[in-house]
Amino acid sequence: MYSIKYFQRFCRFFFGKNNILELALGKSDADERAPGLSVLSEKLRGPRGLLLTNRSKEETTTWFKNHKVGEYARSGFVATESVSLDAGPLAQFSHAIEPHLRQLGLPTTLTKGVVTLVKDYAVCEKGDVLTPEQGRILKLMENPMANFQIKLKFVWTKKTGKVSRIGGKKKISGKATDNEDATMEAVEA
């Protein structure tokens, strides 16, 4: 996340309700703020946002393509590896968290002020869909299983007023037909 904040010195991110972002860009040719922005506003469907930058398209797409940050898995995520805990002391936890660990389903006891796992415990198997409890255990064990990545899908260039798909050479014009999931739009100043 910190490296994204570094990149943010050269750009601005806008996340919010898509209708408000569409109003800011313009919903039609008549009310768009600059030529071609209404075409970009039609692409704001689902979990998307806007990235405004003065960096080149190549530099921005390369940076975001290569940048991934480890993140803790949540409920509903498919486990990418099997995780099990061996019986014995769990020295990384203080005595105060032991009741919470029992609530999460771990067979623990407090032995001389040290949290101890009574028997071996399989947190998850590779390919299993994680429950909320498993996700919390993995987070407590500091085991990130997911990756956070921003995927750039479209770019609007101020010089040409055209919207184009990132990764493709085809210019987009007219009504939006692409409903592919995406997380970010890029607007080059």
Side-chain angles (χ1 to χ4, degrees), residues 9-185:
R9 293 189 311 175
F10 311 109
C11 63
R12 294 287 180 253
F13 291 103
F14 293 96
F15 294 101
K17 294 191 179 238
N18 290 342
N19 287 338
I20 294 172
L21 293 174
E22 286 178 25
L23 283 173
L25 296 174
K27 287 189 171 190
S28 67
D29 292 341
D31 62 355
E32 64 187 3
R33 304 291 181 239
L37 282 179
S38 63
V39 176
L40 184 64
S41 72
E42 293 172 1
K43 305 291 182 195
L44 294 171
R45 301 289 179 262
R48 296 189 182 191
L50 293 173
L51 166 68
L52 306 171
T53 183
N54 59 358
R55 297 291 183 178
S56 70
K57 175 183 172 182
E58 293 77 24
E59 180 183 359
T60 305
T61 55
T62 301
W63 193 89
F64 279 103
K65 194 178 287 184
N66 297 330
H67 187 75
K68 294 179 185 177
V69 178
E71 185 176 277
Y72 297 109
R74 298 179 187 173
S75 173
F77 182 80
V78 177
T80 58
E81 61 183 279
S82 297
V83 177
S84 61
L85 303 173
D86 296 330
L90 299 173
Q92 70 265 36
F93 297 119
S94 76
H95 69 282
I97 199 169
E98 195 269 335
H100 180 64
L101 294 173
R102 271 189 283 129
Q103 284 179 339
L104 293 175
L106 288 172
T108 60
T109 61
L110 205 53
T111 309
K112 296 182 182 178
V114 178
V115 177
T116 306
L117 196 61
V118 176
K119 60 181 180 177
D120 291 348
Y121 183 78
V123 178
C124 63
E125 295 295 324
K126 184 176 181 175
D128 287 350
V129 176
L130 297 179
T131 64
E133 292 79 16
Q134 289 170 321
R136 283 191 225 117
I137 292 169
L138 290 170
K139 186 173 183 178
L140 288 170
M141 299 301 294
E142 297 180 357
N143 186 351
M145 253 190 215
N147 284 318
F148 171 77
Q149 183 179 23
I150 295 176
K151 295 180 181 178
L152 302 175
K153 293 292 183 179
F154 300 98
V155 64
W156 173 82
T157 307
K158 188 175 185 178
K159 291 177 187 174
T160 63
K162 300 286 183 186
V163 175
S164 59
R165 177 186 300 275
I166 293 181
K169 299 186 184 353
K170 181 179 165 188
K171 299 284 182 197
I172 311 293
S173 60
K175 289 272 183 196
T177 57
D178 182 83
N179 289 327
E180 182 179 309
D181 287 340
T183 55
M184 186 67 66
E185 315 296 325

